[in-house]
Amino acid sequence: MDNLRYKSVFDIIGPVMVGPSSSHTAGAARIGKIVRSIFGELPDHLEIHLYESFAKTYRGHGTDMALVAGVLGMDPDDERLPLAPQLAYDQGMEVSYVPHLDVQASHPNTARLICRKGDKKMTITGISLGGGLIKVTELNGFEVSISMGMPTFVIVQQDVPGVIAKVTGILMDHDINVAQMTVTRAAKGDKAIMIIEVDTTKQVNEAAEAMKEIPELIDANFFI
């Protein structure tokens, strides 16, 4: 459990949540919420693949409803969390669960979510580390490392010279300081993903909109 960020004693005690488990419920809800933030809209179809402990106990520990609740935009302490599957149905989102009981994963609390809306598709793998802490380890086939420890930009771009400079220039123009930055690409000249953690939430929406004007940039999302 590397790179964990505890901001207060409450992070050690555990999150405020609708139970029963910080790993299986609160963590799952946060995975779902980060999926919704990056996807940017409500999917028409949500396919949830569950591994190891998640696969064995997802119904009893509320992992199923928590993941859906997060994709609906709910926080772990939202009182509507137990109603998430019905609310998803009411909003037109079809949900399916695929438990992989015999597949070994890199972490016992692992979920892989596939979102679809029309021709748009996104795949994300997330793990729940305990105490409500999470990490996203895969995004559309890219190995990434995203937590909810800091405000974060997730940027999809074409791998061509100058894009990183344009993005960091926009951050500088909006007085946004970069705390950590990771760039991953499928192959030279193919799609690449930038994960940029920053120190502030001020002017981030304006910066994200400005980034979307970069011709080589495919998508830009910001989440906390």
Side-chain angles (χ1 to χ4, degrees), residues 13-15 17 19-30 128-134:
I13 295 171
M17 65 176 193
S21 167
S22 63
S23 294
H24 288 240
T25 313
R30 286 179 170 171
S128 179
L129 299 168
L133 296 172
I134 67 164

Side-chain angles (χ1 to χ4, degrees), residues 22-39 46 48-50 54 63 66-76 107-115 122-130 132-138 146-148 223:
S22 63
S23 294
H24 288 240
T25 313
R30 286 179 170 171
I31 290 171
K33 191 167 184 181
I34 203 172
V35 168
R36 172 62 182 272
S37 177
I38 297 173
F39 193 66
L46 175 65
I48 300 174
H49 294 256
L50 301 146
F54 270 5
T63 307
L67 286 166
V68 174
V71 175
L72 291 175
M74 297 182 196
D75 291 314
H107 191 278
N109 300 327
T110 298
R112 184 170 181 260
L113 279 65
I114 302 174
C115 301
M122 184 184 74
T123 302
I124 289 186
T125 300
I127 60 177
S128 179
L129 299 168
L133 296 172
I134 67 164
K135 180 183 288 186
V136 172
T137 59
E138 177 267 335
I146 309 172
S147 70
M148 295 186 75
F223 63 89

